[in-house]
Amino acid sequence: SQQGEEDPQALSIQEGENATMNCSYKTSINNLQWYRQNSGRGLVHLILIRSNEREKHSGRLRVTLDTSKKSSSLLITASRAADTASYFCATVAYSGAGSYQLTFGKGTKLSVIP
Amino acid sequence: NAGVTQTPKFQVLKTGQSMTLQCAQDMNHEYMSWYRQDPGMGLRLIHYSVGAGITDQGEVPNGYNVSRSTTEDFPLRLLSAAPSQTSVYFCASSYRGGASNTGELFFGEGSRLTVL
């Protein structure tokens, strides 16, 4: 079952603009992660934010987490054509019997036009 | 660094045939998993393993078998292929295993399977 849901499904911007993608989820989480997938490739981990964190930065990436609204956003600043990819949020939640499970959303397809 | 290696990259099967997708990682990760990715469906967990000799089912396990005889290898077997199993399959691993697996996943490049 899908835990995270990304919004929008697709986003097209000009190079140099900022891109914002959102992720909403339904249950309490341990952490939330963002991944990038270039066309025809595997997923690559971008950033992990824990449930007790509100904001995290990594280079041109800024991730926020609002646990009261059960939502997260990924901001890519000064986008480049090379940022064209699909972006997925993944939530890690307690799944019972002392274990956790990571569940992916359906992704946002970002196109950066040169 | 090889990371997570999947073979084959492409495969075409006929309905009813069986095959094994191979996955190997050289990072000494305890946790390994298989996902399938279908258009509009995101990634769905098929099976996972928290260590050698331990496997468990994910969200969509029917029609697939796994085993984990070594830390490095985690093959996925299709018992009797069906057109509904046409998909892209990804193997992923994580350094944390057991109940506390909350870390990032490292993915292979995918295996594209078509079942006719």
Side-chain angles (χ1 to χ4, degrees):
Chain A
S1 60
Q2 233 73 37
Q3 161 78 304
E5 292 288 338
E6 291 92 341
D7 172 64
Q9 291 185 348
L11 179 61
S12 184
I13 60 173
Q14 296 288 331
E15 201 165 29
E17 293 180 338
N18 294 342
T20 300
M21 289 158 269
N22 303 296
C23 173
S24 59
Y25 57 91
K26 298 174 184 173
T27 64
S28 296
I29 60 172
N30 175 280
N31 69 66
L32 186 145
Q33 303 174 26
W34 285 91
Y35 289 79
R36 183 187 73 223
Q37 183 181 33
N38 290 91
S39 181
R41 306 295 299 273
L43 280 74
V44 175
H45 182 265
L46 294 176
I47 198 164
L48 181 155
I49 186 165
R50 302 190 190 284
S51 60
N52 61 353
E53 297 175 311
R54 292 297 167 259
E55 188 170 314
K56 208 161 182 180
H57 296 256
S58 177
R60 293 184 295 112
L61 305 180
R62 172 178 169 254
V63 169
T64 61
L65 179 64
D66 187 334
T67 53
S68 67
K69 295 181 179 178
K70 292 186 169 59
S71 67
S72 173
S73 67
L74 170 67
L75 169 68
I76 304 174
T77 60
S79 63
R80 305 166 182 168
D83 294 327
T84 294
S86 291
Y87 292 82
F88 294 87
C89 72
T91 53
V92 177
Y94 185 66
S95 57
S99 64
Y100 292 82
Q101 205 55 266
L102 186 150
T103 309
F104 285 90
K106 296 180 182 180
T108 292
K109 190 168 185 177
L110 173 66
S111 299
V112 181
I113 303 165
Chain B
N1 277 342
V4 179
T5 303
Q6 290 183 233
T7 56
K9 288 186 175 9
F10 301 93
Q11 183 71 49
V12 178
L13 290 178
K14 293 181 180 178
T15 297
Q17 287 184 317
S18 63
M19 77 157 297
T20 299
L21 300 178
Q22 302 290 345
C23 176
Q25 52 91 8
D26 62 358
M27 297 172 283
N28 202 31
H29 285 173
E30 294 180 7
Y31 180 89
M32 296 185 74
S33 56
W34 278 101
Y35 288 86
R36 59 177 290 172
Q37 184 176 33
D38 303 291
M41 298 292 291
L43 282 89
R44 292 180 291 170
L45 181 64
I46 305 171
H47 285 285
Y48 65 97
S49 168
V50 298
I54 306 169
T55 63
D56 207 344
Q57 296 181 350
E59 181 185 353
V60 288
N62 292 342
Y64 308 95
N65 269 0
V66 292
S67 60
R68 184 94 180 269
S69 57
T70 67
T71 300
E72 294 79 19
D73 300 300
F74 191 45
L76 177 72
R77 297 182 187 83
L78 280 70
L79 309 173
S80 177
S84 61
Q85 294 179 304
T86 293
S87 187
V88 182
Y89 292 85
F90 288 98
C91 179
S93 70
S94 175
Y95 75 96
R96 277 189 197 164
S100 60
N101 177 48
T102 59
E104 67 178 274
L105 289 174
F106 293 80
F107 280 82
E109 290 296 310
S111 297
R112 285 146 185 82
L113 176 66
T114 301
V115 183
L116 303 175

